[in-house]
Amino acid sequence: MKTDNYLRRFSLAFLFLIVGPLAAFAQVPDPGTPGPLAVTREEYNFGDTAFQPSDFPGPVELLASIHHPTNLSGGPFPVIVLLHGRHATCFNGNGAAFLQWPCSDGRTPIPSYKGYDYVSEVLASNGYVVVSVSANGVNAVDNAVFDLGALARAELMQKHLDILNTFNTTGGAPFGTKFVGKLDLTRVGTMGHSRGGEGVVRHYNLNNSLGSPYGIKAVFPLAPVDFTRP
């Protein structure tokens, strides 16, 4: 029941803020119900150390899932970017968890970004492209910086939007030209949980400071921390 209620609140928040209050209630009386569109799930991964946030102890991964309507002919679709909270980043065969990045000594990355697959599926079935970002590299060492990783998370989200912009304009690996013209980056919603919640607020400010290259229409900090109170 908790999961169902969370999904409904989450879906309705984006429908209300991006689409508009009257349209949201008219189109989807129960936002937890899957929409009419078939959905495809894909991933892109540019490596565990592909991105270096500003003034951060080490590089982080560029890894994300994309849920999108299987038939992209109805695009461009509004985009939702999700950012998980702070969790352990690696585990071993005995079930022990660690804060480490990249994982070593036979340890395996914990795929926290996949935890939003269930809500991404529903949102994509209603006509959104939903990107869930992995932030293990930030989580592993964020306590070592003054803002506890808020800026690093914001820059990581902006980097993923830059990647999506490349997919949307010229195309690029691993999708070729599949997403060219299919992403509406003037209509973007973001959601982050816990430290990710502070991250999406910080990202909104960062995007504004850069001249608002992306149209952030909705920001949903879910149970956010507020260490630096932006």
Side-chain angles (χ1 to χ4, degrees), residues 203-226:
H203 171 259
Y204 180 82
N205 292 337
L206 173 65
N207 185 65
N208 283 350
S209 74
L210 296 172
S212 299
Y214 305 110
I216 311 300
K217 303 299 185 185
V219 179
F220 182 10
L222 177 65
V225 302
D226 60 350

Side-chain angles (χ1 to χ4, degrees), residues 32-57:
T33 302
L37 304 179
V39 174
T40 296
R41 183 193 187 281
E42 304 187 74
E43 292 193 1
Y44 61 88
N45 185 356
F46 296 113
D48 289 343
T49 58
F51 179 61
Q52 177 62 61
S54 300
D55 302 318
F56 199 69

Side-chain angles (χ1 to χ4, degrees), residues 61-75:
E61 75 272 31
L62 286 176
L63 165 65
S65 65
I66 300 182
H67 286 76
H68 62 84
T70 301
N71 183 352
L72 291 169
S73 64

